[in-house]
């Protein structure tokens, strides 16, 4: 039996907003690292600053240790801020991969072409309904309290060849209304290879 394989990607079309936030997070990350280094240098100055005996006797050592501890905490927080914002700056470049291999639909989230995380692996039996976003069936499912929507595209508008489709699926955490941005050929392949012919929404052909 020949294996069926088809793949689609929903990449970020307008990256102006992503670039802006990427720059902001990069600047905050650099500022965090620079401030951490400056405070660290200040801490070293306090530790190794020569102090005469008369001044040393008049200084409460407990207060000194408290100040040093506060500076150490500030250094750690600034350093963690730099690391966190450096990592999170990539989260604005999101894309999604949809892959259908005979009997299984796989959906993965890709972060700035650096990290790929599989979100769903669905067998044909787990697919309940397929339709177009914006139709009556979609609106009805979206209002359903037992079916949570999961938008699996970074775009608010599609290009000329793609459309927004939904797939209602039974997952391990309950029913999900999965919104995909793909070509009709991808959805047609998923439908043709599913034995349940009632999987297509009644208003699928209406645009």
């Amino acid at each position: 039996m020949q294996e069926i394989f088809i793949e689609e990607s929903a990449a970020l079309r307008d990256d102006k907003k992503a670039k802006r936030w990427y720059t902001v997070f990069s600047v905050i990350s650099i500022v965090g690292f620079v401030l951490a280094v400056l405070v660290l240098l200040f801490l070293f100055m306090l530790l190794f600053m020569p102090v005469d005996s008369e001044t040393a006797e008049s200084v409460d050592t407990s207060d000194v240790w408290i100040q040093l501890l506060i500076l150490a905490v500030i250094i750690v927080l600034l350093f963690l801020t730099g690391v966190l914002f450096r990592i999170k700056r990539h989260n604005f470049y999101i894309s999604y991969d949809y892959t259908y291999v005979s009997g299984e639909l796989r959906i993965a989230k890709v972060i700035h072409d650096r990290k790929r995380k599989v979100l769903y692996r669905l067998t044909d039996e787990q697919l309940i309904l397929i339709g177009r976003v914006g139709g009556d069936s979609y609106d009805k499912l979206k209002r359903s309290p037992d079916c949570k929507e999961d938008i699996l595209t970074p775009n608010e508008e599609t290009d000329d060849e793609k459309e927004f489709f939904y797939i209602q699926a039974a997952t391990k955490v309950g029913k999900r209304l999965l919104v995909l941005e793909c070509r009709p050929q991808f959805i047609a392949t998923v439908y043709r290879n599913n034995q349940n012919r009632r999987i297509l929404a009644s208003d699928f052909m209406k645009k």
Side-chain angles (χ1 to χ4, degrees):
M1 182 177 178
Q2 185 179 3
E3 185 176 68
I4 305 297
F5 176 85
I6 187 170
E7 186 176 23
E8 283 273 3
S9 293
L12 185 64
R13 295 182 62 200
D14 186 4
D15 63 352
K16 292 180 180 178
K17 184 177 180 180
K19 285 181 178 178
R20 183 167 60 251
W21 282 111
Y22 181 88
T23 301
V24 170
F25 273 53
S26 296
V27 170
I28 294 176
S29 174
I30 294 172
V31 171
F33 287 130
V34 170
L35 290 178
V37 171
L38 292 176
V39 178
L40 181 61
L41 292 175
F42 180 67
L43 179 61
F44 282 149
M45 288 176 58
L46 291 179
L47 288 173
F48 299 106
M49 181 183 298
V51 181
D52 57 66
S53 57
E54 293 183 0
T55 305
E57 292 178 357
S58 63
V59 175
D60 188 345
T61 55
S62 62
D63 291 340
V64 173
W65 283 110
I66 291 175
Q67 293 175 6
L68 294 178
L69 180 60
I70 292 174
L71 289 175
V73 171
I74 292 174
I75 292 171
V76 172
L77 291 176
L78 288 172
F79 179 77
L80 291 177
T81 298
V83 172
L84 179 64
F85 277 82
R86 184 173 180 82
I87 294 173
K88 291 298 183 181
R89 64 180 179 167
H90 298 287
N91 287 10
F92 299 102
Y93 287 91
I94 301 295
S95 60
Y96 293 87
D97 289 340
Y98 321 126
T99 306
Y100 183 78
V101 182
S102 298
E104 186 177 67
L105 173 64
R106 304 168 188 169
I107 302 175
K109 182 179 181 180
V110 183
I111 301 176
H112 211 173
D113 297 326
R114 296 162 58 93
K115 182 179 179 182
R116 191 174 190 274
K117 179 182 180 182
V118 177
L119 302 177
Y120 296 97
R121 296 180 67 128
L122 304 169
T123 62
D124 287 342
E125 292 75 17
Q126 291 177 276
L127 308 184
I128 302 172
L129 197 66
I130 296 177
R132 281 188 164 86
V133 171
D136 293 338
S137 61
Y138 168 75
D139 293 335
K140 182 179 179 180
L141 289 172
K142 190 174 181 179
R143 292 193 299 267
S144 177
D146 65 339
C147 188
K148 183 178 179 182
E149 184 180 33
D150 193 357
I151 298 177
L152 303 170
T153 171
N155 303 310
E156 296 182 358
E157 296 181 0
T158 65
D159 59 22
D160 295 335
E161 297 181 353
K162 297 181 179 180
E163 297 180 44
F164 289 128
F165 295 95
Y166 73 81
I167 296 179
Q168 185 190 23
T171 71
K172 295 179 180 179
V173 292
K175 292 182 180 179
R176 290 291 183 267
L177 184 62
L178 311 178
V179 176
L180 281 61
E181 177 193 357
C182 60
R183 293 174 301 168
Q185 292 91 325
F186 182 85
I187 295 296
T189 300
V190 175
Y191 169 69
R192 283 197 305 267
N193 290 276
N194 196 298
Q195 296 181 357
N196 181 12
R197 291 304 172 185
R198 296 182 180 180
I199 196 174
L200 213 61
S202 58
D203 59 350
F204 183 85
M205 301 308 295
K206 298 178 182 179
K207 291 188 178 182

